[in-house]
Amino acid sequence: MGGAPALFVDHLENGHTNGCSLKSEDTSVQIGDRSYVIGGSHEENPLFLGVQIHDKITNKWSSPTVLGTGPKPCKAYSAIVLKQGRILVIKKDAASDDSIWFLEVDSPFVREQRKLLGKEVVTWSKGVRGNAEKPIVISGPSGVGKGTLITMLMKEFPSMFGFSVSHTTRSPRCMEKNGVHYHFTEKTVMEKEINDGKFLEFASVHGNLYGTSIESVEVVTDSGKRCILDIDVQGARSVKASSLDAMFIFVCPPSMKELEDRLRARGTETEEQIQKRLRNAEAEIKAGKSSGIFGHILYNDNLEECYKSLKNLLGIDNDAPVNGLEVEGINLPKEHTVTKMEDKILIQETGEVIKNNMIVLDLSSINGGAPGRTRGIVLDTVKSS
Ligand SMILES: Nc1nc2c(ncn2[C@@H]2O[C@H](COP(=O)(O)OP(=O)(O)O)[C@@H](O)[C@H]2O)c(=O)[nH]1
Ligand SMILES: Nc1ncnc2c1ncn2[C@@H]1O[C@H](COP(=O)(O)OP(=O)(O)O)[C@@H](O)[C@H]1O
């Protein structure tokens, strides 16, 4: 490591004017003509850390719409401007698995959402250590066996995979539980949440609204598991166009006749609903095979064989232990200074009893980001001689 350390952190003093009262524990970083002030609680959701923007040119304060599940407020923060419109925020008195966050203020996802929602947007993405792999999108016509394959995978590897629980306006089937199979939702409520930017994607499928909330994906990633999304081709297309870096798998039936038999044998739909699903199936299969969305196509003829192919695709065999790296806990010091050196952040303890240890936060392998978590964080303790 060479070169002079570049320190970007700027702690604010009390007494800012213009309708925004800042506290000494608030932290501010400047990007261009704007200061992003991080501290206190978020206006709309007091459980989350607040973000405000001060525009130097107009001398005005604004509260952006904050997307993603953010960090809970704490006593103090360090903040550093990174490349690609991201601010690294380190919580000073938090547990090691809750201390590293990224506030994206001009990332591709933020730009996309700003355009979509027509207002100022920033988003949180939590930093996750180790290399949990990219989410998996599984699509295919109704009755092909997506749910069956996903259930088998989650049963065999419970610590490895987690299911993104979608929202839907359709009624629950008799064995389906709210919050487990779907979040069963009123149409007006779901539409409002879509307008508020809470959804990664949504689509009208077989006459009902379905969608993946950003939170549903984050809940799985936070538990250290690889997220599985069971969504239709339209949803897969939206995810492909978004900044969520995912693996796309399409499941095909051996024939339309077999698909129909499976749908009937499942016995969960009325005749009218079965007919609608079969009509949609032809177009879905055509789109699935030809749209260029799906990198992998599986044929679900014999279930065991198809399951084996799915596991091969995911690079797992029956001995595969856990997802990503086992990471040892490293607690960040409560009082510290941060210094940026290229892709590394040096965290040095300060205070009365200064220890010689320094923590290096290596960001050179980070991937992912909003919507969802920022993976690939490496934390290491370095003893100074
Ligand atoms: N776009 C989108 N599609 C979804 C979502 N959740 C489920 N779907 C799709 O909606 C379709 C209907 O799902 P469902 O009513 O559970 O019936 P099933 O496919 O016959 O089990 C399937 O193609 C699912 O993949 C979602 O969050 N977004
Ligand atoms: N390879 C297969 N052979 C025969 N039946 C299957 C196979 N895969 C799934 N099924 C059955 O087909 C029905 C539909 O499967 P399901 O997983 O609910 O489909 P999807 O989630 O794609 O709508 C279920 O009753 C399931 O047990």
Side-chain angles (χ1 to χ4, degrees), residues 61 160 168 247 257:
W61 287 93
M160 205 171 194
T168 182
M247 176 179 193
K257 166 81 177 62

Side-chain angles (χ1 to χ4, degrees), residues 167-318:
H167 284 61
T168 182
T169 60
R170 86 148 158 78
S171 316
R173 295 173 187 151
C174 66
M175 297 303 285
E176 285 179 334
K177 290 202 182 84
N178 191 26
V180 176
H181 298 94
Y182 280 105
H183 298 290
F184 295 100
T185 316
E186 288 291 323
K187 194 164 178 225
T188 47
V189 175
M190 192 163 160
E191 282 172 344
K192 175 169 188 312
E193 292 188 346
I194 289 171
N195 284 333
D196 288 345
K198 298 221 160 84
F199 279 77
L200 168 62
E201 63 75 33
F202 59 92
S204 171
V205 192
H206 315 316
N208 285 299
L209 196 54
Y210 292 79
T212 310
S213 71
I214 295 171
E215 192 180 350
S216 296
V217 177
E218 288 179 343
V219 163
V220 177
T221 321
D222 281 2
S223 65
K225 296 180 185 177
R226 190 168 183 185
C227 186
I228 305 178
L229 287 79
D230 172 348
I231 59 176
D232 85 317
V233 175
Q234 306 168 74
R237 187 175 283 116
S238 304
V239 174
K240 184 97 176 180
S242 82
S243 29
L244 187 80
D245 184 19
M247 176 179 193
F248 294 81
I249 301 172
F250 189 80
V251 187
C252 278
S255 66
M256 289 306 287
K257 166 81 177 62
E258 173 66 19
L259 187 68
E260 183 169 353
D261 289 350
R262 284 183 198 173
L263 265 180
R264 286 192 196 291
R266 189 171 71 183
T268 48
E269 271 75 32
T270 62
E271 181 57 31
E272 193 190 334
Q273 285 164 341
I274 290 176
Q275 290 306 331
K276 190 181 263 182
R277 279 159 195 262
L278 287 173
R279 277 197 303 276
N280 292 342
E282 302 221 17
E284 281 179 276
I285 295 169
K286 204 166 155 216
K289 284 182 176 170
S290 63
S291 58
I293 301 170
F294 298 93
H296 310 275
I297 296 190
L298 290 178
Y299 284 86
N300 184 17
D301 189 352
N302 177 292
L303 182 60
E304 286 308 322
E305 277 173 22
C306 184
Y307 180 53
K308 215 164 147 213
S309 308
L310 175 62
K311 288 199 288 183
N312 276 342
L313 259 187
L314 300 177
I316 43 174
D317 55 40
N318 289 336

Side-chain angles (χ1 to χ4, degrees), residues 358-382:
M358 181 155 62
I359 291 173
V360 179
L361 169 56
D362 187 342
L363 302 177
S364 57
S365 307
I366 56 171
N367 55 81
R373 300 320 200 190
T374 304
R375 307 183 298 272
I377 304 263
V378 179
L379 265 185
D380 232 336
T381 312
V382 177

Side-chain angles (χ1 to χ4, degrees), residues 21 56 64 75-76 126 145 172 183 277:
S21 98
K56 253 188 175 175
K75 288 210 180 87
K126 187 174 172 177
H183 298 290
R277 279 159 195 262

